[in-house]
Amino acid sequence: MSPSFYHTELSKALSEQAFGLARFDVYGGSSPHEATASVTLLEGRTIHITLTARGYQLDGDQIFESIEGLLQAVSAAYEGKRREALFSRLRSLS
C-alpha cells in the first residue's frame, strides 16, 4: 500500500526543515487522513506532530498552519538554525 497524502506531505515538510532537527521518523496515523511523526529537537526534547486537514498538531494539542510556525514555537535552536540558513542563502545572492 502506498503512503497516504498526509504521510508524504509530513515527510517532505520535515525533510525541508532537517537542518534544524536532530532527527525525525514519520509513521502512518490511525487513518489515511493523518500522519504522525516523532521529532527530536536540537535541544534533545522529543515531540509528536500530527498532520491532518486542520494543520500541524503538536502533541495532540495546539494546531499550526505551517511546520515552520510549529517548530519556531517550540525550539529556539531551530529558529537559530533557520536564521543561519536564511542569511547564508542571502549572502550567496550578493
Side-chain angles (χ1 to χ4, degrees):
M1 187 170 141
S2 65
S4 74
F5 167 80
Y6 294 97
H7 184 279
T8 301
E9 284 301 305
L10 185 55
S11 294
K12 285 181 184 178
L14 290 170
S15 293
E16 291 171 0
Q17 305 307 313
F19 62 86
L21 305 172
R23 66 172 284 136
F24 67 90
D25 296 300
V26 179
Y27 44 93
S30 58
S31 82
H33 305 290
E34 68 178 39
T36 301
S38 174
V39 178
T40 303
L41 304 173
L42 294 174
E43 294 91 343
R45 178 176 157 220
T46 299
I47 60 173
H48 294 90
I49 299 171
T50 301
L51 176 60
T52 67
R54 294 174 47 199
Y56 296 90
Q57 190 169 21
L58 174 62
D59 291 324
D61 191 23
Q62 191 172 0
I63 296 176
F64 294 81
E65 290 184 14
S66 71
I67 193 70
E68 296 90 348
L70 185 154
L71 293 171
Q72 287 173 327
V74 298
S75 174
Y78 165 81
E79 178 56 26
K81 288 286 189 183
R82 183 176 171 276
R83 196 175 313 115
E84 284 176 25
L86 178 61
F87 286 140
S88 176
R89 279 184 258 152
L90 289 173
R91 278 193 297 274
S92 71
L93 296 174
S94 56

